[in-house]
């Protein structure tokens, strides 16, 4: 048997075909198998998805129940922990403060509700409220009692604080005439009688009005300042820095010129709000300001009108 | 067939995919021509899988025939190969492995499993009764005895020898295509083919001698 004949014989095998009966049997088998495979695929998805859906539903239900747990529920502690942990999710400090303020209001209301019904859990709720307050106070910028010197002063229609000090400054003129600072060079130095240098006498203040008392930390409450900034033409000014501390841009106005600023202040305190626009070098180009008295947790500040600086 | 079951008959969409596969095959990408059909089958198109079966049934059948030497075994094995391909279609990745190579791999493994379970080798006598199963006009170019002896000789070869002979000389794949299917280099395929032909010649002579002895005995 030579190679040519072998190749010829092998080539003839290429015309072999599967018999029709066998083909029909194979097709029937395949069709049955196809249905099984599709069914298995569907049921495998169901097998995989069912526990996932059940677990997700259970987690959602547990989460929903926990996050709505009242103060006298055993889940209230878990709710507080979740809510406190969620505060860390806020990248924007102002958004975080707003969130914490909301939590504080809720917890305050819950503590009040529990107290009103005489629940034993009210003390715990009150502790949680106080802890929230402490957290807020540590985060909130304190609204200064007076506008600091050198800061962009509030412009009209700003009501400037009426607590401008009437007391003399520490550098007030002394009432007496100071003696010569040095002794004459011709004088014989007498160690006991003539000191070489004499301090000028201290000025004696005529009146000593008591300065505004320093706010006690515990008096501070978290408040939200709401207001609007407009330009000289009265149009809303956007992207304007707003702060209770001049130079420290705490928040910026929205496209409608609106701002919302969370700070810590005392009830009855006058807070000053500064607004300014700085150029790329940091130089203030427009400024304005307004003041308002704190009467509650939300303070509506008069509209601030910007003017060239 | 269950009327509610899947239909393996070709649909208009699958017809278009088949034409695309034909164009790809003509363009030189014979091994990659099934990609669109495979994708459709994986997406749940029964007709696409039916088209794949239609395209490769006879090729796999011939491969199985050369492996088993028996028409009946080859037919059963071919059905097994496609059932296994269907079951593992989800795991089949088209990257780098043509679908026909995937089928050949299944066929090789299925043939080995079958041979293990039966623990027997076919003889020329066993093959002869099934000769008429799928022959055609050109089949008549060799006698029934020659064909049976050739199949017996092929069945005696090592798997690698048989694979290269079937793919190169029966199916007519190029050296490069065979290399791709077998996962070898083109040069290695050329050497393997040369040696396989020598061994086939010897195996054919042995099968002829065996057949003659048995004929004398009977």
């Amino acid at each position: 048997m030579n190679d040519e004949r072998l190749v010829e014989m092998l080539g003839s095998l290429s015309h072999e075909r599967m018999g029709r009966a066998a083909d029909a049997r194979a097709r029937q088998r395949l069709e049955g198998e196809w249905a099984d495979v599709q069914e298995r695929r569907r049921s495998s998805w169901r097998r995989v998805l069912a526990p996932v859906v059940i677990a997700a539903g259970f987690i959602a239900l547990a989460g929903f129940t926990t996050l709505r747990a009242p103060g006298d529920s055993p889940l209230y502690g878990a709710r507080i922990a979740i809510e406190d942990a969620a505060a860390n999710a806020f990248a924007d400090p102002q958004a975080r403060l707003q969130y914490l303020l909301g939590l504080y209001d809720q917890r305050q209301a819950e503590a009040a509700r529990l107290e009103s019904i005489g629940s034993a859990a009210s003390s715990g709720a009150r502790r949680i409220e106080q802890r929230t307050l402490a957290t807020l106070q540590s985060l909130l910028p304190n609204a200064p009692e007076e506008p600091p010197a050198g800061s962009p002063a509030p412009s009209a229609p700003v009501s400037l604080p009426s607590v401008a000090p009437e007391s003399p400054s520490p550098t007030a003129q002394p009432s007496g005439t100071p003696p010569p600072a040095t002794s004459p060079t011709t004088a014989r130095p007498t160690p006991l009688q003539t000191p070489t240098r004499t301090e000028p006498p201290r000025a004696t203040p005529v009146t000593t009005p008591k300065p505004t008392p320093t706010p006690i930390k515990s008096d501070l409450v978290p408040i939200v300042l709401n207001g609007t900034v407009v330009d000289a033409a009265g149009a809303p000014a956007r992207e304007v820095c707003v702060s209770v501390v001049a130079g420290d841009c705490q928040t910026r106005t929205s496209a409608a010129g609106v701002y919302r600023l969370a700070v810590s202040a005392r009830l009855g305190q006058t807070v000053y709000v500064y607004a300014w626009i700085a150029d790329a070098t940091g130089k203030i180009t427009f400024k304005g300001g307004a003041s308002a008295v704190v009467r509650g947790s939300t303070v509506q500040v008069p509209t601030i009108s910007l003017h060239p600086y | 067939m269950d009327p509610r079951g899947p239909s393996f008959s070709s649909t208009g969409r699958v017809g278009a995919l088949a034409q695309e596969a034909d164009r790809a095959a003509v363009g030189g990408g014979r091994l990659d021509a099934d990609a669109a059909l495979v994708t459709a089958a994986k997406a749940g198109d029964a007709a696409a899988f039916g088209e794949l079966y239609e395209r490769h049934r006879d090729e796999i059948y011939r491969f199985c025939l050369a492996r088993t030497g028996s028409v009946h075994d080859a037919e059963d094995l071919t059905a097994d190969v496609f059932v296994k391909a269907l079951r593992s279609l989800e795991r089949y990745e088209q990257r780098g492995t043509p679908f026909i190579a995937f089928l050949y791999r299944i066929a090789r493994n299925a043939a080995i499993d079958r041979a293990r379970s039966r623990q027997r080798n076919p003889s020329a006598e066993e093959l002869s009764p099934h000769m008429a199963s799928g022959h055609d006009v050109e089949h008549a170019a060799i006698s029934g005895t020659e064909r049976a002896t050739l199949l017996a000789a092929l069945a005696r070869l090592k798997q690698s020898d048989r694979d290269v002979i079937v793919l190169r000389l029966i199916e007519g794949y190029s050296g490069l295509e065979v290399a791709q299917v077998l996962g070898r280099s083109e040069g290695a395929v050329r050497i393997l083919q040369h040696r396989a032909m020598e061994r086939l010649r010897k195996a054919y002579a042995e099968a002829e001698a065996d057949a003659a002895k048995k004929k004398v005995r009977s």
Side-chain angles (χ1 to χ4, degrees):
Chain A
M1 175 66 62
N2 59 27
D3 276 3
E4 271 181 30
R5 179 60 186 152
L6 258 183
V7 169
E8 190 185 341
M9 286 165 64
L10 287 167
S12 72
L13 287 181
S14 69
H15 301 287
E16 289 286 338
R17 298 280 182 274
M18 193 165 159
R20 282 188 182 178
D23 177 41
R25 279 198 307 275
R27 279 178 176 276
Q28 202 168 8
R29 240 184 106 184
L30 281 171
E31 286 173 0
E33 191 63 32
W34 179 271
D36 288 351
V37 165
Q38 296 303 315
E39 181 54 34
R40 271 201 299 273
R41 193 190 285 182
R42 275 193 292 273
S43 60
S44 73
W45 272 109
R46 277 198 292 270
R47 273 199 303 275
V48 170
L49 277 181
V52 173
V53 168
I54 290 169
F58 180 75
I59 290 168
L61 185 67
F64 182 76
T65 310
T66 304
L67 289 175
R68 290 178 64 89
D72 47 0
S73 159
L75 290 173
Y76 192 60
R79 172 185 171 175
I80 297 301
I82 292 169
E83 286 175 345
D84 288 348
N88 297 321
F90 291 93
D92 178 21
Q94 274 300 317
R96 187 174 176 218
L97 285 174
Q98 300 284 351
Y99 170 75
L100 285 170
L101 273 171
L103 284 187
Y104 174 64
D105 288 345
Q106 279 176 23
R107 290 170 186 181
Q108 201 173 29
E110 184 62 16
R113 186 186 71 81
L114 291 173
E115 279 171 356
S116 70
I117 60 171
S119 170
S122 62
S123 61
R126 194 56 83 183
R127 270 199 307 277
I128 289 167
E129 178 221 321
Q130 290 303 314
R131 207 178 61 213
T132 311
L133 179 63
T135 307
L136 265 172
Q137 283 176 338
S138 68
L139 293 172
L140 285 173
N142 292 341
E145 293 289 315
E146 299 173 24
S151 61
S155 61
V158 173
S159 55
L160 285 168
S162 57
V163 289
E166 292 171 1
S167 61
S169 69
T171 55
Q173 286 295 318
S175 55
T177 309
T182 54
S183 60
T185 52
T186 53
R188 176 177 286 189
T190 316
L192 292 174
Q193 291 178 349
T194 52
T196 54
R197 193 176 185 87
T198 311
E199 288 294 322
R202 281 184 181 274
T204 310
V206 178
T207 53
T208 52
K210 196 174 174 122
T212 311
T214 308
I216 302 163
K217 189 78 177 168
S218 59
D219 290 347
L220 293 170
V221 289
I223 59 162
V224 175
L225 301 166
N226 292 319
T228 309
V229 180
V230 295
D231 59 19
R238 54 191 269 181
E239 287 297 310
V240 178
C241 268
V242 178
S243 177
V244 292
V245 180
D248 178 15
C249 187
Q250 285 175 303
T251 189
R252 288 179 186 274
T253 54
S254 67
V258 174
Y259 65 88
R260 190 172 155 83
L261 187 61
V263 296
S264 193
R266 286 181 302 107
L267 287 174
Q269 179 187 337
T270 302
V271 289
Y272 305 92
V273 179
Y274 303 96
W276 69 93
I277 298 174
D279 62 15
T281 62
K283 187 185 166 198
I284 294 171
T285 51
F286 292 89
K287 64 166 188 166
S291 63
V293 177
V294 177
R295 302 272 180 227
S297 62
T298 304
V299 178
Q300 187 62 43
V301 180
T303 299
I304 299 173
S305 181
L306 294 175
H307 57 82
Y309 181 58
Chain B
M1 179 186 153
D2 183 357
R4 294 163 302 172
S7 170
F8 271 44
S9 51
S10 185
T11 61
R13 200 179 85 80
V14 169
L17 292 176
Q19 282 174 8
E20 186 186 315
D22 288 339
R23 278 196 297 276
V26 169
R30 185 177 166 191
L31 293 179
D32 302 322
D34 302 319
L37 287 168
V38 170
T39 305
K42 284 175 99 169
D45 189 339
F49 192 81
E51 180 64 27
L52 285 168
Y53 168 74
E54 194 71 41
R55 284 169 167 263
H56 300 299
R57 174 196 56 209
D58 292 329
E59 189 175 340
I60 294 299
Y61 167 72
R62 287 189 290 270
F63 182 87
C64 295
L65 183 62
R67 178 67 181 79
T68 62
S70 156
V71 169
H72 285 321
D73 282 353
E75 286 171 348
D76 287 350
L77 200 51
T78 303
D80 286 350
V81 168
F82 281 95
V83 166
K84 285 179 179 172
L86 175 54
R87 284 177 188 162
S88 48
L89 189 64
E90 201 62 29
R91 293 192 297 274
Y92 165 64
E93 293 284 337
Q94 289 183 53
R95 289 190 300 271
T97 314
F99 184 67
I100 186 64
F102 170 67
L103 289 177
Y104 274 124
R105 194 167 62 229
I106 294 173
R108 271 196 296 274
N109 293 334
I112 291 167
D113 291 346
R114 181 172 284 250
R116 275 186 195 143
S117 67
R118 294 202 170 181
Q119 290 290 320
R120 69 183 182 93
N121 284 318
S123 64
E125 290 86 346
E126 285 174 300
L127 300 168
S128 301
H130 311 303
M131 271 167 30
S133 173
H135 71 99
D136 59 12
V137 179
E138 288 195 46
H139 181 228
I142 57 170
S143 71
T145 312
E146 279 179 324
R147 179 176 171 276
T149 308
L150 179 61
L151 289 175
L154 281 169
R156 287 170 188 228
L157 290 181
K158 278 200 311 185
Q159 183 184 296
S160 55
D161 292 343
R162 187 171 46 248
D163 287 352
V164 78
I165 285 176
V166 169
L167 292 172
R168 280 289 282 129
L169 302 172
I170 299 178
E171 298 306 327
Y173 283 109
S174 69
L176 185 65
E177 288 170 331
V178 174
Q180 206 179 337
V181 170
L182 297 181
R184 292 169 181 257
S185 71
E186 203 178 345
V189 167
R190 212 177 303 127
I191 295 166
L192 192 61
Q193 184 189 335
H194 179 72
R195 288 178 182 165
M197 279 303 287
E198 282 179 11
R199 288 179 189 129
L200 180 62
R201 209 168 37 242
K202 284 180 191 167
Y204 189 88
E206 287 168 9
E208 246 180 347
D210 284 353
K213 276 182 206 167
K214 283 177 186 171
K215 199 172 178 182
V216 169
R217 247 184 272 146
S218 64

